[in-house]
Amino acid sequence: MSQASTIIAIIWAILCSISIIIWLWFGNTDNYFYIYYSTFLGFITALATMLFCFRNLSNFAATDPIGKAWWFLSRGLLFWTVGSFSYFLYPLIHAGEQTPFPWYSDIGYLMFMPFALFTLMTLRMNTNVAAPFKAWIAAFIVAMTISGLALVV
């Protein structure tokens, strides 16, 4: 594990521990605290991951295929972080109201997917890895199942 990964893991553990300590110390605290804290934790996680990806991107040349994959992943995480920030901001601006669905944050979350797919396609094309036909069928079945569940819910 690299030094940056270790630092991120330590910060994450500290932030999670704060929530447990507050729960143990104050008992059943206000529900708004948990809404604010969980959305803040989601934003901080997305931000740290995005910064970690941009840092890794700087280790590769512009023409390196793996660098292109990091480029796509970094941009996707940038959108995710912006979406997470707007999701975190809504309850603060609107006096603790739950963030509605759909909301502008969903644009950021949804924009992550194309960049994640471009990342995987770039890695697949440049690392000489071929998925067997059974893996394509399994992926298709999983994607259709998730899409069907999303339409039902």
Side-chain angles (χ1 to χ4, degrees):
M1 187 184 283
S2 71
Q3 182 182 8
S5 299
T6 305
I7 291 170
I8 290 172
I10 290 170
I11 291 171
W12 176 251
I14 290 170
L15 289 173
C16 289
S17 299
I18 289 171
S19 176
I20 294 170
I21 290 168
I22 289 173
W23 177 72
L24 290 173
W25 187 268
F26 294 109
N28 190 11
T29 58
D30 190 11
N31 192 28
Y32 291 118
F33 168 77
Y34 293 111
I35 291 172
Y36 297 143
Y37 192 75
S38 65
T39 55
F40 172 73
L41 213 52
F43 167 66
I44 291 298
T45 303
L47 181 66
T49 307
M50 180 196 69
L51 293 174
F52 184 70
C53 283
F54 275 109
R55 182 178 172 273
N56 283 339
L57 173 62
S58 67
N59 294 330
F60 295 95
T63 57
D64 189 5
I66 303 299
K68 288 180 185 177
W70 277 108
W71 188 90
F72 284 124
L73 187 60
S74 299
R75 286 348 181 247
L77 284 168
L78 176 67
F79 279 108
W80 186 277
T81 303
V82 169
S84 183
F85 181 70
S86 66
Y87 189 82
F88 163 66
L89 213 56
Y90 187 86
L92 294 176
I93 294 173
H94 294 94
E97 291 180 26
Q98 188 68 24
T99 306
F101 178 79
W103 181 243
Y104 296 113
S105 60
D106 297 323
I107 296 170
Y109 295 139
L110 291 174
M111 285 300 296
F112 171 76
M113 289 301 165
F115 286 99
L117 289 174
F118 289 141
T119 300
L120 294 175
M121 289 185 333
T122 302
L123 287 173
R124 183 182 178 278
M125 289 187 297
N126 294 304
T127 57
N128 297 326
V129 175
F133 184 70
K134 290 180 182 178
W136 285 102
I137 297 298
F140 179 76
I141 291 170
V142 169
M144 290 299 109
T145 304
I146 291 172
S147 298
L149 288 173
L151 290 174
V152 172
V153 175

